[in-house]
């Protein structure tokens, strides 16, 4: 069994991005700029945007955050999106989700200029992705593709089971692995809460991608020997043995499932570190106009 070390791959990719940004800087050009719109006081959103700022700083990408109050109106938020859409100094930006209940998320995301939609959530980017056209791929699935590629994991002809159909993880992941390319060319089954006989399906998976949001749901008896297991779930649970008083676990029972898997991502240190790095990769693509010319 081999552990897929997301922390190490994320470090390598950051080094590659930093080298590219240094070359840009040395040539006297403006460096890439990633902006984030942060609405309200959701602690998880603040942590994620804080992590994004830190990662930008590490690689030399300019980072800015537009903080808006919880009570912001749709009109005010649309004005900020318009401003960022038109600002030539901003290459890409994200509107951090979730948004307060008075705001229609889909309307906001659809208002982002697709060329600056580095989260890859705009319908145009999602459609381009499905058609295997150049597109920004949502950060978590993009990060998982990087892990598969860098560990040279074979996907062609494999049975891939994706658990969870969210717009940000499961659904794009299932599309990406069924595309006629590498990583891809897999036979993909997408499962959700209405899927009966889940265990029968997971036992048939050569590659199992778990994004359910259910702590340690996947146990050893649900996993085929020699399979590749990618755990997207993150849960903070109380722990007396750690200094902070809590620890992170995934959707997979790591200790026992790792005995069946050929490759497995740990939590923490697997998919998590890849998400922000994938956003940086998308920002560089936006800067270089690789997707929209
Ligand atoms: N590592 C990272 O960077 C990262 C990024 C994003 C998310 N996450 C984590 O990944 C997990 C999933 O996130 P998400 O946003 O994709 O979750 P989500 O929007 O809550 O979606 C969960 C999906 O799992 C399905 N599901 C839930 N319980 C199930 C069950 N018992 N059997 C079968 N399917 C079940 C749901 O089915 P229905 O559609 O039928 O409800 C849904 O499609 C969470 O723990 C989240 O914190 C991590």
């Amino acid at each position: 069994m081999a552990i897929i070390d997301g922390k190490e791959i994320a470090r390598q990719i950051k080094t590659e991005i930093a080298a590219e940004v240094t070359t840009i800087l040395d040539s006297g050009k403006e460096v890439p700029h990633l902006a984030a719109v942060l609405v309200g006081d959701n602690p998880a959103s603040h942590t994620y945007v804080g992590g994004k700022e830190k990662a930008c700083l590490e690689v030399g990408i300019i980072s800015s955050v537009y903080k808006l109050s919880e009570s912001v109106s749709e009109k005010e938020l649309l004005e900020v999106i318009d401003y960022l859409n038109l600002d030539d100094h901003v290459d890409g930006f994200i509107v951090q989700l979730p948004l307060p209940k008075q705001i229609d998320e889909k309307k906001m995301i659809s208002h982002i200029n697709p060329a600056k939609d580095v989260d890859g959530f705009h319908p145009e980017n999602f459609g381009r992705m499905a058609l295997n056209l150049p597109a920004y791929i949502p950060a978590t699935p993009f990060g998982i593709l990087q892990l598969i590629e860098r560990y040279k994991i074979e996907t062609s002809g494999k049975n891939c089971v994706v658990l969870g159909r969210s717009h940000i993880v499961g659904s794009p992941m299932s599309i990406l692995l069924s595309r006629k390319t590498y990583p891809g060319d897999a036979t993909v089954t997408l499962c959700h809460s209405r899927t009966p006989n889940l265990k029968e399906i997971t036992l048939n998976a050569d590659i199992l991608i778990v994004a359910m949001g259910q702590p340690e749901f996947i146990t050893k008896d649900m996993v085929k020997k020699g399979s590749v297991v990618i755990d997207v779930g993150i849960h903070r649970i109380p722990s007396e043995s750690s200094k902070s008083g809590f620890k992170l676990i995934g959707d997979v029972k790591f200790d026992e499932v790792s005995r069946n898997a050929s490759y497995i991502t740990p939590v923490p240190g697997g998919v998590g570190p890849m998400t922000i790095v994938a956003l940086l990769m998308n920002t560089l693509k936006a800067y270089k106009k690789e997707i929209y010319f």
Side-chain angles (χ1 to χ4, degrees), residues 181-214:
T181 184
Y182 177 77
D185 281 325
T187 306
V188 180
T189 308
L190 179 62
C191 303
H192 44 76
S193 65
R194 305 300 300 274
T195 305
N197 308 325
L198 205 59
K199 186 174 159 184
E200 262 172 44
I201 300 170
T202 58
L203 273 173
N204 201 27
D206 302 309
I207 301 171
L208 181 62
I209 300 184
V210 192
M212 305 166 77
Q214 302 289 338

Side-chain angles (χ1 to χ4, degrees), residues 3 6 10 24 39 60 92 112 119 138 145 150 167 170 199 212-213 241 262 266 279 285 292:
I3 289 184
I24 293 167
V39 181
I112 297 172
D119 253 344
L145 291 187
R150 289 182 185 237
H167 293 167
K199 186 174 159 184
M212 305 166 77
S241 60
S262 58
L279 183 64
K285 283 178 191 285
Y292 297 84

Side-chain angles (χ1 to χ4, degrees), residues 140 164-166 168-169 192-193 198 211-214 217 232-235 251 271-272 275:
T140 302
R165 58 177 162 186
S166 74
I168 61 166
V169 190
H192 44 76
S193 65
L198 205 59
M212 305 166 77
Q214 302 289 338
F217 185 94
V232 185
I234 306 181
H235 311 275
D251 285 356
V271 174
T275 296

